[in-house]
Amino acid sequence: MSEQIVLEIKDVSKSFNDQIILDNINLKIKHGEFLTLLGPSGCGKTTLLRMISGFEEPSSGSIFIDGKDAKGLPPHERHVHTVFQSYALFPHMTVFDNVAFGLRCSNTPEKDVKPRVLEALRMVKLEHFGNRKPAQLSGGQQQRVAIARAVVNRPLVLLLDEPLSSLDYRLRKTMQMELRQLQRTLGITFIFVTHDQEEALSMSDRVVVMSDGSITQIGTPRQVYEEPSCLSVAKFIGEVNIFETTVSSINDDKITVDIEGMAHAYPNRHHFSIGDKALVLVRPEDVRIFDSKEVKETENMYRGIVEDFTYKGTTVDLLVRLDTGKVISTTEFFDEDDDSLVYTLGEKVWLHWVNGWEVVLPYEE
Amino acid sequence: MNNSKARIIDKLYLALIYLFFYLPISVLIFYSFNNSSYSLVWHGFTTNWYHNLFQDSNLWIAAAHSLLIGTLAATMATIIGTLAAVSLYRYRFMGKNFLNGMVFILIVTPDIVMGISLLLLFSIANMPLGFWSLLLAHITFCIPFVVVTVYSRISGMDKNIFEAAKDLGARESTIFRKITFPLLLPAIISGILLSFTLSFDDVMISYFVSGPGFEILPLKIYSMARLGVKPELNALCSVTFTLTLFLVILSQRFTRKSS
Amino acid sequence: MKSDNTFRNISVSLISIWLGIFALLAFLLVVLLSFMKNDSTTIFSWQFTLDNYAALFSSLYALVFAKSFYIAGACTFFCILLGYPFAYILARKVERWKEPLLLFLIIPFWTSSLIRSYAMVAILKTKGVLNNVLMHLGIIHHPLQLLFTNSAVMIALVYNLLPFMILPLYANLEKFDNRLIEAARDLGAGKIKTFTKIILPLSLPGIVAGSILVFLPAMTLFYIPDLLGGAKALLLGNLIENQFLLTNNWPLGSAISVTLTLIMGVMLIAHWLTSKNRERGDFL
């Protein structure tokens, strides 16, 4: 991945019938990057993708592809191709003809078409399927044809609009890996749209989290997961325990807050003043749980009782009611040698989390 | 026991209604081979009435006129209707809902209203009634049926394939030639066959917009039928019915294939 | 963004211009004419009048309207009566041979209604098939006068239009979600209650759609009374035909046609109201 910017979205807004779909989007995408647009349906990510591909024009702002303003450029002159959610393979053409379609549209000599199509098909491991019709292929194979068709023109950027959403869970996992590998081999920038946070985290170099038509956070998967910029990002990306609190004192760039009857001190990253309300977020897997036999020292620990537990194969999820009445969800990973992960309902437990693994945010509704 | 009884009643009922549909026309065909002018009693098999038909040069001319109008009207209506269905599905344009509604309304509009509207239009435009008035009228009443037939096919297609084609650099004309047309072909053929059938059978609208100089088959049949039942007319109706029957079955083949 | 709009523009203009002239303009001329004074030599004279509409309330025309309504209404009723069970059985009870059965239902839909009406004449003639069969069976001893009666017109209308009732009903009942019936039965509704409370209300759009396709032609198929009926001006269709081709009163004929179109409008609104909260009712 280089630092060269292949696509720049600058102050782009879009509205339909007075309804704002996208509000002032700014984004720079690097060459060779695997970027994911992540957000719930209706957040505007597909509209953004369609503006990059040229199916829609922004109401204001500009999109630069490889340094050139793409305004008014039709889809096929943008060096950007799309893999559609439904694959959109031409049902009456063979796999070969599907892949060759773009080359033939640009009047590529027929003698060049064949090697290039075969190369694209080989890349997606379908070189022997050229004579089949799309209907004769499995969902995953159709998906790969759609990719081959889109990359045969050697675009600068490949746009993928929820391409895995119609596959079953296992195939999805396989395709996620294959797509990642393919992207590395091709060296083409991928912009991938999904509403599945797990998919976004596992595949991308960078994740763009969107909600209600604007970008709420841009960062590496680790950043958006561990340091969400706001409550909505935190909530969207994984489960989270939320504590509402108030800043009681500040000294040496540290704030002190009270969480369920216990004082915690955190770095003052958000420039709180005394009396400001704040939110402290803790991921379930960051919470450590001990039964009463395991702990000697219970200082700085919360006491609670197990309200519910769910066995999930690799993890055990617990709901623990603290003495204050607050219910906390926790996730513990199985350790083969540890048989302490057996709880009974109503059992008394102790919990805490490592200082520094929580996220402190200004208060919001 | 109770159940199987109900089933028999169901089947019996279907059979009765189908009998109601097909008995009169079967009787007609049956008597067109009866060797007697007036009697209902079977007097032996003959093809005389068909021979007589083929001798009648006026009938040949009317039939030729109907074939000509049918072919031209079906072709034109299918071209216009197909383009319209594709546009209604693919594009946003001003007056789209209005056009959609108009097509829908035209299908349920009583033929007589369309007949007199066109008669009035042609009279005011000072257009003589004959070949051209018939052709224009037939194209008009066939268009909505083509639109509906083609639209129901295209609306079952993935809208993204047009965008995919565009994305890969296909011009609109290429998209139509390489994607839309081949995919819609069964519906288009079905549309053309049904249009031809409609045109070939139409009485109500043609009745108002045809002129004395240009006779067509359905009107000829109508004027003969007003004079009562004749064995030659039985034969003529049998031929016409068989032809349209064949076309309808053929068109259904294509409709099935497309769904 | 779209560099080649030519294809779209040609397609849209072609259909718009065509229907604009031959459907919309032509009909607007009829509306216009219906407000003009009649002039037997020049079709009409440029004088605004409501006389043509007023004439519709005169006893002569009001009677035709009433008769036509009555006949079309009765025809629609019989079509529902005969067609509903048929569509129901075909859509929900038949498992084998469905394709050919459907085809046999579609054929009368598209083949010439004139020829089928003519075939009906052969059946209903005094010396026709029906009388012969009835006499052979000893049910009657003298041939009945069937042809040139209102019953003959009614039989021919039902014969012609029944497929137009059945097809929309079939399309509606075919899509019917079986689980709704199972749910109703599960909740303790009997067969009759399930039908009246679940199936019938949900098939209402189909009934209305079928009624539109039956009622309007039943008022206008002028050649059916012409071939089979007694009274010549039995249907609105005959009345309109007469004004245009016989008595040359085009404005009056136009007024009748506009009224007919208004009736259609009311029926379409009824259809829209019954189907708007559900899936769009299929017409064909």
Side-chain angles (χ1 to χ4, degrees):
Chain A
M1 201 194 313
S2 68
E3 286 305 301
Q4 190 194 341
I5 302 299
V6 68
L7 187 81
E8 183 178 359
I9 294 161
K10 206 169 173 190
D11 305 327
V12 162
S13 296
K14 176 78 178 172
S15 44
F16 275 125
N17 308 323
D18 294 339
Q19 200 192 337
I20 295 165
I21 307 291
L22 286 173
D23 189 17
N24 200 28
I25 301 288
N26 282 289
L27 186 59
K28 286 181 179 171
I29 299 163
K30 286 172 245 162
H31 182 74
E33 184 173 27
F34 196 123
L35 184 99
T36 300
L37 301 179
L38 173 67
S41 51
C43 72
K45 54 194 195 303
T46 296
T47 309
L48 183 58
L49 202 70
R50 290 174 62 81
M51 291 195 301
I52 298 172
S53 60
F55 291 115
E56 313 220 5
E57 285 283 312
S59 306
S60 65
S62 338
I63 294 172
F64 297 92
I65 298 172
D66 210 16
K68 288 188 290 284
D69 191 345
K71 191 173 171 59
L73 277 186
H76 62 278
E77 284 171 32
R78 294 193 169 209
H79 303 294
V80 167
H81 286 307
T82 306
V83 174
F84 292 89
Q85 184 173 10
S86 55
Y87 317 145
L89 298 178
F90 308 128
H92 59 303
M93 296 182 189
T94 60
V95 167
F96 185 95
D97 289 336
N98 261 283
V99 178
F101 189 85
L103 295 173
R104 286 174 179 156
C105 279
S106 56
N107 294 320
T108 311
E110 203 59 26
K111 66 171 170 48
D112 298 341
V113 169
K114 198 172 177 189
R116 284 180 64 180
V117 170
L118 289 179
E119 189 203 333
L121 284 177
R122 194 164 50 244
M123 219 137 55
V124 296
K125 298 179 208 137
L126 284 175
E127 61 266 50
H128 301 303
F129 290 81
N131 290 324
R132 301 250 191 125
K133 289 277 179 73
Q136 295 167 299
L137 301 180
S138 69
Q141 289 169 331
Q142 292 184 21
Q143 167 77 77
R144 300 211 290 256
V145 177
I147 294 168
R149 187 177 68 177
V151 299
V152 75
N153 274 1
R154 295 175 191 147
L156 282 170
V157 179
L158 195 65
L159 307 175
L160 302 104
D161 186 6
E162 307 230 8
L164 306 180
S165 60
S166 48
L167 301 178
D168 67 50
Y169 182 78
R170 284 177 66 118
L171 194 51
R172 249 181 117 118
K173 291 283 160 210
T174 323
M175 282 309 292
Q176 284 175 10
M177 298 226 300
E178 279 191 28
L179 270 179
R180 191 74 182 101
Q181 275 171 2
L182 191 68
Q183 191 265 340
R184 291 206 182 105
T185 344
L186 290 169
I188 294 176
T189 309
F190 274 31
I191 301 180
F192 187 94
V193 161
T194 184
H195 61 264
D196 181 334
Q197 39 97 6
E198 202 184 316
E199 195 166 282
L201 296 181
S202 64
M203 295 173 78
S204 333
D205 294 320
R206 277 199 303 161
V207 178
V208 176
V209 189
M210 295 181 67
S211 81
D212 292 333
S214 38
I215 294 177
T216 39
Q217 188 169 6
I218 305 176
T220 62
R222 175 159 264 213
Q223 279 168 340
V224 293
Y225 189 75
E226 293 179 358
E227 300 156 33
S229 66
C230 63
L231 187 60
S232 70
V233 173
K235 273 178 164 171
F236 190 70
I237 302 182
E239 228 187 311
V240 69
N241 293 300
I242 303 165
F243 302 97
E244 289 179 22
T245 180
T246 312
V247 177
S248 55
S249 65
I250 304 179
N251 45 9
D252 295 346
D253 280 350
K254 287 222 162 181
I255 56 169
T256 309
V257 293
D258 174 275
I259 298 172
E260 306 298 321
M262 212 181 286
H264 293 258
Y266 299 126
N268 189 5
R269 289 208 191 95
H270 291 275
H271 312 291
F272 288 105
S273 320
I274 291 176
D276 282 352
K277 287 175 94 182
L279 294 174
V280 177
L281 314 180
V282 180
R283 298 257 179 224
E285 62 272 24
D286 293 343
V287 179
R288 297 268 173 87
I289 287 236
F290 307 93
D291 63 32
S292 27
K293 295 192 292 279
E294 288 176 303
V295 280
K296 305 265 156 19
E297 181 66 63
T298 59
E299 203 185 336
N300 294 330
M301 283 202 182
Y302 293 95
R303 195 175 64 174
I305 53 170
V306 176
E307 275 222 325
D308 193 15
F309 66 86
T310 314
Y311 173 75
K312 283 193 171 169
T314 51
T315 62
V316 172
D317 293 357
L318 295 183
L319 283 182
V320 177
R321 184 179 293 277
L322 303 186
D323 288 350
T324 56
K326 173 89 178 169
V327 178
I328 309 254
S329 63
T330 74
T331 296
E332 292 211 71
F333 289 87
F334 267 122
D335 182 347
E336 290 287 332
D337 309 322
D338 186 1
D339 54 8
S340 68
L341 284 184
V342 183
Y343 297 95
T344 50
L345 289 183
E347 182 179 342
K348 198 186 277 177
V349 290
W350 296 90
L351 62 82
H352 78 136
W353 60 87
V354 178
N355 217 10
W357 286 13
E358 70 294 295
V359 175
V360 185
L361 293 173
Y363 181 80
E364 55 184 299
E365 280 294 330
Chain B
M1 178 64 209
N2 206 358
N3 208 355
S4 70
K5 213 184 203 170
R7 256 178 216 191
I8 291 170
I9 292 174
D10 285 352
K11 279 183 186 148
L12 212 62
Y13 186 73
L14 290 190
L16 268 174
I17 297 284
Y18 277 118
L19 194 68
F20 178 53
F21 282 153
Y22 286 95
L23 186 68
I25 206 82
S26 312
V27 167
L28 182 84
I29 295 171
F30 181 71
Y31 281 108
S32 72
F33 293 106
N34 188 11
N35 195 1
S36 160
S37 291
Y38 300 103
S39 173
L40 262 181
V41 186
W42 184 249
H43 282 259
F45 180 85
T46 181
T47 51
N48 269 347
W49 314 122
Y50 290 90
H51 280 291
N52 290 357
L53 276 190
F54 291 118
Q55 305 296 316
D56 189 339
S57 61
N58 279 338
L59 219 51
W60 276 108
I61 292 169
H65 285 169
S66 275
L67 283 173
L68 180 67
I69 293 276
T71 312
L72 291 177
T75 312
M76 284 299 295
T78 304
I79 293 170
I80 298 170
T82 302
L83 293 177
V86 172
S87 306
L88 282 173
Y89 183 67
R90 286 198 50 203
Y91 307 125
R92 279 177 285 189
F93 55 88
M94 219 181 70
K96 175 174 168 165
N97 286 338
F98 185 75
L99 198 59
N100 231 332
M102 193 138 96
V103 168
F104 178 69
I105 287 172
L106 279 179
I107 287 181
V108 292
T109 302
D111 286 350
I112 198 166
V113 174
M114 198 185 271
I116 60 135
S117 305
L118 288 165
L119 170 62
L120 185 58
L121 180 76
F122 295 142
S123 315
I124 286 177
N126 245 331
M127 199 170 135
L129 296 181
F131 171 77
W132 284 107
S133 59
L134 272 171
L135 181 61
L136 292 174
H138 281 218
I139 294 171
T140 308
F141 72 70
C142 287
I143 285 175
F145 289 92
V146 179
V147 175
V148 168
T149 309
V150 175
Y151 190 87
S152 74
R153 162 85 172 155
I154 198 173
S155 61
M157 284 168 26
D158 178 5
K159 227 171 187 165
N160 283 335
I161 67 174
F162 302 109
E163 297 210 329
K166 213 165 172 179
D167 189 44
L168 295 167
R171 299 171 54 86
E172 285 295 318
S173 51
T174 316
I175 294 179
F176 189 80
R177 234 181 32 247
K178 292 270 181 72
I179 313 282
T180 320
F181 184 73
L183 284 175
L184 288 181
L185 196 58
I188 292 173
I189 293 175
S190 173
I192 219 170
L193 292 172
L194 290 179
S195 298
F196 182 86
T197 314
L198 281 174
S199 162
F200 197 72
D201 284 340
D202 174 69
V203 180
M204 292 282 270
I205 295 170
S206 306
Y207 189 71
F208 290 98
V209 297
S210 70
F214 195 84
E215 225 177 351
I216 54 169
L217 204 53
L219 292 182
K220 182 93 182 159
I221 293 176
Y222 183 32
S223 61
M224 287 166 81
R226 290 168 109 163
L227 302 175
V229 177
K230 291 259 165 35
E232 284 93 352
L233 188 53
N234 291 350
L236 178 57
C237 286
S238 304
V239 173
T240 317
F241 180 81
T242 312
L243 176 69
T244 48
L245 181 73
F246 173 71
L247 291 177
V248 173
I249 292 174
L250 200 63
S251 81
Q252 287 305 312
R253 270 276 147 90
F254 283 104
T255 316
R256 290 272 169 283
K257 213 174 141 191
S258 70
S259 62
Chain C
M1 126 182 95
K2 289 174 194 108
S3 54
D4 54 342
N5 276 337
T6 332
F7 176 82
R8 186 189 81 159
N9 291 346
I10 290 176
S11 308
V12 174
S13 349
L14 199 57
I15 182 79
S16 307
I17 292 172
W18 196 285
L19 293 187
I21 294 175
F22 295 108
L24 195 60
L25 175 66
F27 180 70
L28 288 178
L29 288 175
V30 174
V31 176
L32 190 71
L33 190 66
S34 72
F35 291 105
M36 294 291 143
K37 226 177 154 89
N38 180 39
D39 186 323
S40 50
T41 50
T42 59
I43 302 178
F44 69 97
S45 62
W46 282 105
Q47 269 177 292
F48 177 84
T49 176
L50 287 172
D51 286 354
N52 303 311
Y53 287 97
L56 299 183
F57 292 99
S58 74
S59 60
L60 177 66
Y61 296 124
L63 195 67
V64 180
F65 257 93
K67 252 194 214 160
S68 197
F69 252 87
Y70 167 70
I71 287 182
C75 173
T76 310
F77 174 74
F78 285 125
C79 283
I80 296 174
L81 203 65
L82 291 174
Y84 199 104
F86 184 91
Y88 188 83
I89 295 169
L90 190 61
R92 317 194 46 81
K93 298 282 172 89
V94 173
E95 281 133 28
R96 282 187 303 162
W97 301 105
K98 209 161 185 170
E99 293 261 309
L101 286 178
L102 255 179
L103 180 67
F104 280 116
L105 183 63
I106 289 167
I107 287 167
F109 193 90
W110 291 102
T111 48
S112 166
S113 107
L114 172 69
I115 289 179
R116 287 185 296 126
S117 307
Y118 169 73
M120 216 55 191
V121 176
I123 299 277
L124 297 178
K125 275 201 313 181
T126 316
K127 286 182 179 172
V129 178
L130 190 60
N131 268 325
N132 256 338
V133 170
L134 290 178
M135 288 200 350
H136 265 288
L137 292 175
I139 296 171
I140 54 170
H141 298 290
H142 302 285
L144 296 172
Q145 172 65 38
L146 288 167
L147 207 56
F148 307 121
T149 62
N150 288 356
S151 325
V153 173
M154 183 64 75
I155 293 171
L157 282 174
V158 172
Y159 174 60
N160 262 299
L161 298 171
L162 186 53
F164 291 80
M165 176 62 78
I166 293 175
L167 278 180
L169 272 176
Y170 173 81
N172 177 295
L173 290 167
E174 161 93 313
K175 279 186 301 192
F176 201 93
D177 188 351
N178 243 336
R179 285 168 301 183
L180 291 179
I181 296 176
E182 281 163 11
R185 300 300 294 275
D186 187 49
L187 295 168
K191 272 192 171 166
I192 294 169
K193 200 147 202 169
T194 308
F195 181 77
T196 53
K197 297 278 178 191
I198 311 288
I199 302 174
L200 197 60
L202 284 172
S203 54
L204 199 61
I207 297 177
V208 175
S211 299
I212 295 175
L213 293 181
V214 170
F215 190 83
L216 293 172
M219 286 204 295
T220 55
L221 279 173
F222 60 78
Y223 51 77
I224 288 183
D226 207 30
L227 295 179
L228 296 120
K232 278 293 172 193
L234 193 62
L235 301 183
L236 275 191
N238 301 82
L239 196 58
I240 297 172
E241 180 211 347
N242 287 344
Q243 303 311 317
F244 274 86
L245 301 180
L246 219 62
T247 57
N248 246 338
N249 190 344
W250 288 28
L252 179 60
S254 299
I256 304 169
S257 304
V258 172
T259 314
L260 190 63
T261 313
L262 289 177
I263 297 170
M264 172 177 84
V266 171
M267 297 186 84
L268 286 178
I269 290 170
H271 176 253
W272 179 71
L273 287 177
T274 52
S275 60
K276 73 174 168 181
N277 290 329
R278 309 184 179 110
E279 274 182 272
R280 254 189 65 191
D282 285 43
F283 262 84
L284 292 172

